[in-house]
Structures are given as structure tokens and as C-alpha cells.
């Protein structure tokens, strides 16, 4: 009798775990202005071209200039001038907090705050944080976000990308 209740308990825990995981997976798949801002910002600081997926068409459209490629090129150029490899220009965004300032059906304004630190590789950020080495910079930006093609996308001020486009 004890053996049967132990097996039933294990099965119950597994079923509950599966249900909770399903709920979290569903919740993560829902698009929101906050999610768009966080995904864009993380990709931006990592110098990842996937940031283009979260930028509105109006900001990407420029005369013969790919804004993302130009941003990465200028960052690589700055790194080279300083005697670094581009990997030293990558940063990790952490302690991220978002606040929705205003939201309508197809547009929103989101404030993102957080910290960035140089991230040569994933382990470096953890070690730097543990031993308090390397500079930490505060990030505090307000983003205009619009719904475009059924997805929320960042438009307006895009950190220093603003000065590179139109």
C-alpha cells in the first residue's frame, strides 16, 4: 500500500510539473511591448543582428544604408581604433526592469532600466559581477513601440542607432 502511494505521488508531481511548464511556455509565447523592448535591447548590446526583428520598418528603411550593419561596422571600427577586438564591445544587459508608461491598441511607450557590463563571453559577466571588476553602466531609456505586422516593434529612439539612421 505504501509503494502505491509513493508512485502516485511521483506521478502527481510529474503531471503538475508538466502543467506548470505548459503554462510558462504559453505565457512566454505572448508578444508584448515590454518583451519587444527587452529583446531588442539585449540583442543591441550583444551586437546581434537579430535586433532587426524588433525594429519597425520606418527605422530600418534608409537610403542605401543597412542601419544594423552600419552600427556594427562603426562599433567594430571604434574597437579597432582602441586596439580591441569587436568582442570586447559586446555588453550584457542585466537587472532589467520595464515599465509601461502608456499603451494603446497599436502603440505603447515603455521605459527600460538596467545595467550593462562588458561581456566577452558568458562566464566573464558572472565572474566580473562576483568579484566586482569591470565598469557597470546604468541604462535608462524610453522606447516608442508600435504593433506592425502583428508583432510589437521598437520605433523612435534606438540608443545610438538614432544618429545613424535618417
Amino acid at each position: 500500500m505504501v509503494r502505491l502511494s509513493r508512485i502516485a505521488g511521483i506521478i502527481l508531481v510529474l503531471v503538475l510539473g508538466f502543467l506548470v511548464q505548459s503554462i510558462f511556455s504559453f505565457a512566454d509565447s505572448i508578444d508584448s511591448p515590454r518583451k519587444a523592448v527587452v529583446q531588442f535591447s539585449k540583442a543591441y548590446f550583444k551586437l546581434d543582428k537579430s535586433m532587426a526583428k524588433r525594429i519597425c520598418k520606418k527605422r530600418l528603411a534608409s537610403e542605401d544604408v543597412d542601419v544594423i550593419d552600419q552600427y556594427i561596422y562603426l562599433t567594430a571600427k571604434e574597437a579597432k581604433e582602441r586596439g580591441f577586438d569587436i568582442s570586447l564591445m559586446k555588453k550584457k544587459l542585466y537587472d532589467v526592469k520595464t515599465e509601461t508608461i502608456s499603451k494603446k491598441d497599436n502603440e505603447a511607450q515603455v521605459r527600460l532600466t538596467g545595467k550593462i557590463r562588458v561581456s566577452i563571453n558568458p562566464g566573464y559577466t558572472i565572474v566580473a559581477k562576483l568579484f566586482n571588476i569591470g565598469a557597470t553602466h546604468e541604462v535608462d531609456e524610453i522606447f516608442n513601440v508600435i504593433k506592425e505586422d502583428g508583432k510589437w516593434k521598437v520605433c523612435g529612439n534606438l540608443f545610438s542607432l538614432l544618429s545613424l539612421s535618417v
Side-chain angles (χ1 to χ4, degrees), residues 25-141:
S25 295
F26 177 73
D28 190 44
S29 68
I30 297 173
D31 196 29
S32 71
R34 289 177 170 197
K35 185 176 180 180
V37 167
V38 171
Q39 285 181 346
F40 164 76
S41 299
K42 286 184 176 183
Y44 172 84
F45 287 116
K46 284 185 192 172
L47 303 175
D48 187 353
K49 288 186 178 191
S50 70
M51 72 177 98
K53 294 177 187 173
R54 287 299 189 165
I55 299 176
C56 66
K57 290 177 186 172
K58 182 175 86 172
R59 296 310 266 155
L60 285 175
S62 183
E63 297 175 19
D64 302 329
V65 175
D66 183 344
V67 178
I68 307 299
D69 283 342
Q70 185 178 13
Y71 164 65
I72 293 172
Y73 169 76
L74 290 174
T75 304
K77 184 179 172 187
E78 179 187 348
K80 188 176 180 181
E81 288 171 357
R82 294 170 63 186
F84 300 140
D85 183 55
I86 191 168
S87 65
L88 288 175
M89 300 300 278
K90 294 180 181 183
K91 297 172 183 66
K92 175 149 174 73
L93 178 66
Y94 63 97
D95 289 345
V96 180
K97 294 181 181 86
T98 58
E99 172 190 357
T100 303
I101 297 171
S102 67
K103 184 178 178 187
K104 296 178 185 167
D105 289 340
N106 292 325
E107 59 184 57
Q109 217 175 24
V110 177
R111 180 180 188 185
L112 176 125
T113 57
K115 298 176 182 175
I116 55 172
R117 185 182 297 245
V118 172
S119 179
I120 301 167
N121 62 44
Y124 177 81
T125 307
I126 295 167
V127 171
K129 193 172 182 181
L130 284 174
F131 295 104
N132 200 23
I133 57 175
T136 301
H137 303 282
E138 299 288 326
V139 175
D140 189 354
E141 292 284 332

